[in-house]
């Protein structure tokens, strides 16, 4: 187990096994974004082995180096240089060992498919271990494999785990089975923050199959031999709660404060002010949260779906009163996440039940629990005002973002800027701006969500850019290009407009809209085509996207991620809204919280991956979801004249906007 303070060492990253296969190690987590495949491509290239001989271990806290977590589309950007250097250093050590073993100077040796060759001699990697594993601090100046010899990086590759997922062989958290494993169910309070006043568990303890009723503080659960027995036992527990409303924190963070904004606004030839509103939405994973805990006297082993295995280890250790090194976290495939699994709630509950019952316990949340108790994406109210000068350019920009906290990382302004304030500063240039983030209270439980606040902010910014263009009597594309100075940004915007035929006429009741942004160094531009019926129903017809994520390891993986992000964001935009009253979620099932299904998918999504290979790789797990809402809303206006400043774009809202 590696400490977070350790320098990067080879044995933390690469193992050559006794059969000559390679094990690569990373603290990041695969949940569909394709990083396991990307990491295998990197390591196979640097060690000159077939990719089939590379196994990638992710997140096992007893094996991998410490990692803060998998979020923000940082995985490839962060891990690529580290894994490349580690694999290159391993190859160098293998050549050095072969030189001694074969009696051939190292500079005369090379590698071929897992074998060191030279001077008419050969040594497979497995023969060079000599019972001594490769090890050592990884130097900065290690020589990397020349680009012309790399076989896998930059090439389309299917996801390594894809076949197992679609054929049912993949093991998800709820598939884990351990000897003697029991099932758990929680006794839930009426609302978040409630305190337990009294408990009568006498009836539950006598029910068939019940092993234990476990209480730790205000956490109460039932452990039984079978799931239905645990749930029946939980229902039989009589608990009296003291309901204490919990409001979220408040803060105000200046994000940008250029001089002269107010003066230039007052002196502008034309001024515009608008407000955009986005409701809270649920993470709504297809598979509700689950965890398996096996707590013994000497430690705990946790099988979980998580973004943060080391965070789970820390929280479980604290809950159980164990040293962190006594808790092992083994991440499993999870059926839907996008920020949801940054929270360790199910894991902590399972650990409490396992410790209290003396048995391994599988805790599986119900669909209703998932909606009612998991964290949601915060709501946002976004107030924008801007002025145009006599030439129709933006003269000044004033932006107030009102939202809730997006993570549990506290109120550090530097954290809030990149979480709750993500993408609040417009990507355009040539004008002074004042941008302020207002963190406001909520009784909902809010936390990480795919792209954090970026999708909300870009919805407002890109919708407002279209409104400004109309006010200036300019084409929305041309108006944007007048305010773009970054060449890479300009290129993706121009290309998506050309590819989609943005300015070409479309049939009646149809319209196209554009939206674009820069997300953590990834440039992304989208055009959506929609059809709007006379009744206000919106149908997403086509989407075009151009993305520049820098150096691209797996173009097919990038396309998959962008397509998925567009589909998911379209669901948020057209259908999703979490209803609540005083912190209690009102819609707790698919019947009252609809999401997009196959019938809602557009006819086509075209993704053009045009990475600048001279630039370092940036992430694609989140950027595809960010501009979609604004592109759809702008397309709705082009099709019907209905300007939508809030989502979801339901039939009733669109019809009302059309009438107004």
């Amino acid at each position: 187990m590696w400490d977070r303070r350790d320098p990067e060492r080879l044995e933390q990253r690469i193992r050559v096994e006794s059969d000559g296969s390679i094990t690569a190690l990373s603290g990041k987590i695969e949940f569909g974004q394709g990083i396991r495949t990307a990491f295998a491509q990197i390591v196979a290239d640097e060690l000159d082995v077939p990719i089939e001989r590379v196994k990638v271990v992710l997140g096992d806290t007893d094996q991998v180096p410490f990692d803060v977590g998998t979020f923000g589309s940082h995985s490839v950007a962060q891990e690529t240089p580290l894994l490349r250097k580690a694999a290159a250093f391993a190859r160098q050590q293998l050549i050095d060992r072969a030189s001694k073993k074969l009696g051939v100077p190292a500079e005369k040796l090379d590698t071929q498919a897992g074998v060191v060759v030279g001077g008419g001699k050969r040594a497979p990697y497995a023969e060079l271990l000599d019972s001594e594993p490769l090890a050592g601090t990884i130097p900065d100046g290690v020589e990397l494999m020349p680009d012309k010899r790399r076989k896998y990086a930059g090439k389309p590759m299917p996801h390594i785990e894809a076949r197992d997922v679609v054929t049912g062989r993949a093991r998800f958290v709820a598939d884990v089975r351990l000897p003697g494993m029991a099932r758990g169910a929680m006794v839930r309070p009426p609302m978040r923050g409630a305190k337990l006043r009294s408990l009568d568990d006498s009836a539950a303890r006598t029910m068939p199959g019940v092993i234990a009723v476990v209480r730790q503080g205000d956490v109460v659960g039932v452990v039984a031999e079978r799931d239905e027995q645990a749930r029946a036992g939980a229902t039989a527990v009589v608990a009296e709660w003291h309901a204490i409303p919990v409001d979220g924190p408040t803060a105000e963070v200046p994000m940008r404060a250029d001089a002269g904004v107010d003066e230039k606004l007052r002196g502008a030839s034309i001024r515009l002010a608008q407000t955009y509103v986005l409701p809270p939405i649920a993470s709504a994973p297809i598979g509700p949260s689950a965890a398996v805990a096996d707590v013994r006297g000497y430690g705990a082993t946790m099988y979980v779906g998580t973004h943060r295995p080391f965070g789970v280890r820390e929280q479980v250790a604290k809950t159980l009163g164990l040293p962190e090194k006594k808790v092992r976290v083994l991440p499993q495939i999870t059926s839907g996440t996008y920020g949801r699994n940054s929270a360790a709630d199910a894991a902590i509950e399972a650990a409490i039940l396992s410790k209290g019952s003396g048995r391994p316990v599988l805790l599986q949340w119900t669909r209703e629990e998932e909606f009612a108790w998991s964290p949601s994406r915060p709501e946002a109210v976004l107030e924008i005002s801007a002025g145009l000068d006599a030439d129709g350019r933006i003269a000044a920009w004033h932006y107030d973002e009102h939202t809730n906290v997006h993570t549990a990382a506290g109120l550090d302004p530097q954290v809030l800027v990149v979480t709750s304030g993500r993408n609040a500063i417009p990507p355009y240039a040539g004008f002074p701006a004042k941008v302020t983030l207002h963190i406001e209270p909520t009784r909902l439980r809010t936390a990480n969500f795919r792209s954090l606040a970026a999708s909300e902010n870009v919805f407002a910014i890109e919708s407002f850019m279209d409104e400004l263009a109309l006010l200036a009597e300019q084409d929305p594309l041309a108006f944007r290009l007048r305010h773009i100075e970054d060449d890479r940004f300009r290129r993706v915007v121009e290309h998506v407009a050309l590819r989609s035929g943005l300015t070409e006429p479309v049939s009646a009741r149809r319209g196209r809209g554009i939206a674009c942004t820069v997300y953590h160094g990834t440039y992304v531009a989208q055009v959506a085509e929609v059809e709007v019926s006379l009744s206000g129903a919106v149908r997403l017809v086509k989407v075009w996207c151009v993305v520049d994520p820098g150096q691209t390891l797996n173009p097919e993986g990038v396309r998959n991620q962008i397509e998925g992000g567009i589909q998911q964001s379209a669901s948020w935009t057209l259908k999703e809204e979490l209803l609540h009253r005083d912190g209690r979620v009102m819609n707790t099932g698919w019947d009252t919280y609809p999401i997009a299904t196959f019938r809602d998918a557009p006819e086509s999504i075209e993704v053009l991956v045009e990475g600048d290979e001279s630039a370092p790789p940036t992430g694609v797990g989140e950027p595809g979801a960010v501009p979609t809402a604004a592109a759809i809303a702008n397309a709705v206006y082009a099709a019907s004249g209905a300007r939508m400043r809030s989502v979801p774009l339901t039939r009733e809202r669109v019809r009302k906007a059309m009438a107004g």
Side-chain angles (χ1 to χ4, degrees):
M1 181 165 50
W2 309 104
D3 189 272
R4 67 194 71 184
R5 296 177 294 273
D6 289 342
E8 283 282 319
R9 292 185 59 83
L10 180 57
E11 60 269 33
Q12 292 177 254
R13 291 290 185 176
I14 300 292
R15 288 200 307 261
V16 178
E17 309 293 358
S18 59
D19 61 357
S21 65
I22 308 298
T23 299
L25 303 158
S26 171
K28 298 298 183 186
I29 296 297
E30 169 71 61
F31 43 88
Q33 72 276 46
I35 62 170
R36 189 187 303 276
T37 305
F39 294 168
Q41 289 176 276
I42 294 165
V43 171
D45 275 340
E46 290 299 331
L47 271 165
D48 201 3
V49 297
I51 196 168
E52 296 79 14
R53 292 173 63 183
V54 178
K55 176 185 177 183
V56 181
V57 174
L58 300 174
D60 179 345
T61 56
D62 273 14
Q63 295 193 64
V64 305
F66 175 83
D67 189 273
V68 172
T70 306
F71 37 70
S73 295
H74 291 313
S75 296
V76 169
Q78 290 177 350
E79 295 292 271
T80 292
L82 300 174
L83 284 169
R84 280 199 75 182
K85 287 197 299 183
F89 186 42
R91 179 172 176 268
Q92 177 184 307
Q93 286 201 5
L94 289 165
I95 289 175
D96 290 343
R97 290 189 182 192
S99 174
K100 296 176 182 178
K101 181 180 181 70
L102 302 176
V104 178
E107 59 270 18
K108 300 287 187 182
L109 295 173
D110 203 349
T111 55
Q112 289 180 2
V115 179
V116 181
V117 296
K121 300 179 180 180
R122 60 194 311 275
Y125 289 174
E127 294 181 5
L128 298 171
L129 298 181
D130 298 327
S131 72
E132 188 69 29
L134 304 183
T137 301
I138 302 170
D140 288 331
V142 63
E143 185 176 350
L144 301 175
M145 185 71 78
D147 286 346
K148 64 182 180 181
R149 288 191 58 185
R150 299 173 75 193
K151 302 181 182 70
Y152 300 106
K155 305 294 192 304
M157 293 283 297
H159 287 191
I160 288 172
E161 67 283 346
R163 182 175 295 275
D164 284 351
V165 170
V166 299
T167 59
R169 287 197 297 266
R171 187 169 80 163
F172 292 77
V173 179
D175 295 326
V176 172
R177 295 294 182 268
L178 302 178
M181 188 179 78
R183 303 296 293 264
M186 305 307 298
V187 178
R188 300 290 181 191
M191 64 187 302
R192 186 166 68 101
K195 300 297 181 183
L196 188 61
R197 280 181 169 175
S198 63
L199 183 74
D200 182 357
D201 59 8
S202 55
R205 290 183 181 276
T206 62
M207 294 180 69
V210 170
I211 298 166
V213 177
V214 180
R215 176 183 178 183
Q216 181 169 318
D218 296 311
V219 178
V220 181
V222 175
V223 179
E225 297 292 350
R226 299 201 305 269
D227 182 71
E228 68 273 16
Q229 294 170 334
R231 296 193 189 283
T235 302
V237 172
V238 179
E240 184 180 353
W241 301 90
H242 176 45
I244 304 174
V246 177
D247 290 320
T250 61
E252 185 170 301
V253 182
M255 294 184 60
R256 180 170 166 179
D258 298 336
V261 171
D262 294 337
E263 293 82 355
K264 289 194 174 184
L265 270 177
R266 285 193 294 268
S269 299
I270 307 174
R271 291 187 295 275
L272 178 68
Q274 297 293 4
T275 299
Y276 302 86
V277 179
L278 297 98
I281 56 179
S283 292
I286 295 299
S289 298
V292 174
D294 188 5
V295 181
R296 313 279 177 161
Y298 53 83
T301 304
M302 305 295 304
Y303 302 82
V304 299
T306 180
H307 295 235
R308 304 174 55 246
F310 288 90
V312 172
R313 184 183 72 171
E314 178 183 4
Q315 290 178 271
V316 168
K318 183 177 180 180
T319 299
L320 300 179
L322 292 171
E324 285 187 32
K325 64 182 179 180
K326 294 295 186 181
V327 178
R328 182 180 187 181
V329 176
L330 291 163
Q332 308 294 304
I333 294 177
T334 179
S335 51
T337 176
Y338 308 112
R340 166 66 185 99
N341 287 325
S342 288
D345 36 22
I348 291 171
E349 290 171 349
I352 290 171
L353 296 185
S354 179
K355 179 181 179 181
S357 64
R359 296 271 292 272
V361 172
L362 164 60
L363 176 68
Q364 171 73 70
W365 282 25
T366 64
R367 174 63 55 200
E368 291 75 14
E369 284 179 299
E370 190 63 49
F371 272 114
W373 292 96
S374 68
S376 61
R377 185 181 82 175
E379 54 196 317
V381 176
L382 309 157
E383 299 172 332
I384 319 179
S385 57
L388 299 175
D389 62 21
D391 293 328
R393 296 180 65 95
I394 298 174
W397 180 282
H398 194 288
Y399 189 91
D400 285 284
E401 178 191 358
H402 303 267
T403 189
N404 318 124
V405 291
H406 280 68
T407 72
L411 295 177
D412 182 337
Q414 291 183 316
V415 174
L416 289 174
V417 163
V418 296
T419 56
S420 297
R422 185 169 295 180
N423 279 71
I425 296 175
Y428 302 103
F431 52 87
K434 181 179 181 181
V435 179
T436 306
L437 168 65
H438 307 267
I439 298 296
E440 299 183 353
T442 177
R443 290 184 180 176
L444 280 179
R445 181 186 177 204
T446 60
N448 307 54
F449 197 92
R450 191 175 194 175
S451 83
L452 294 172
S455 54
E456 295 113 304
N457 283 316
V458 172
F459 170 73
I461 291 168
E462 287 298 290
S463 296
F464 193 66
M465 288 295 287
D466 257 40
E467 295 203 55
L468 283 175
L470 179 67
L471 192 64
E473 299 181 343
Q474 297 178 43
D475 173 79
L477 171 64
F479 184 75
R480 284 174 171 80
L481 292 174
R482 292 187 73 186
H483 296 90
I484 293 176
E485 295 181 353
D486 187 313
D487 288 341
R488 290 173 69 187
F489 192 23
R490 174 178 292 272
R491 188 166 59 248
V492 298
V493 172
E494 290 178 331
H495 196 176
V496 80
L498 178 65
R499 186 76 178 197
S500 64
L502 175 65
T503 58
E504 298 172 5
V506 292
S507 58
R509 313 303 309 173
R510 288 196 179 189
R512 293 181 184 140
I514 188 170
C516 52
T517 195
V518 183
Y519 182 90
H520 282 332
T522 295
Y523 298 81
V524 57
Q526 293 177 7
V527 170
E529 180 177 324
V530 305
E531 184 175 78
V532 182
S533 73
L534 291 173
S535 68
V538 178
R539 182 171 74 91
L540 182 59
V541 181
K542 297 179 182 178
V543 181
W544 295 263
C545 179
V546 176
V547 59
D548 174 2
Q551 186 183 54
T552 304
L553 290 171
N554 185 354
E556 188 62 30
V558 172
R559 277 188 285 272
N560 291 341
Q561 281 297 288
I562 298 298
E563 288 175 8
I566 290 169
Q567 293 269 23
Q568 186 178 29
S569 189
S571 182
W572 307 336
T573 306
L574 298 173
K575 292 181 173 292
E576 298 184 38
E577 181 174 8
L578 196 65
L579 305 175
H580 63 98
R581 185 179 299 124
D582 293 328
R584 300 188 188 192
V585 173
M586 310 305 293
N587 43 344
T588 58
W590 297 127
D591 56 335
T592 53
Y593 188 95
I595 62 172
T597 62
F598 284 114
R599 69 170 62 92
D600 303 300
E603 294 172 4
S604 66
I605 299 176
E606 183 177 348
V607 178
L608 300 175
V609 183
E610 300 183 352
D612 182 344
E613 292 300 314
S614 66
T618 51
V620 295
E622 294 177 319
V626 175
T628 307
I632 292 173
N634 290 337
V636 168
Y637 177 80
S640 67
R643 176 58 69 185
M644 305 303 299
R645 300 188 184 97
S646 62
V647 294
L649 308 183
T650 61
R651 183 193 304 262
E652 294 74 23
R653 284 177 175 165
V654 174
R655 184 170 62 243
K656 182 178 179 181
M658 289 166 60

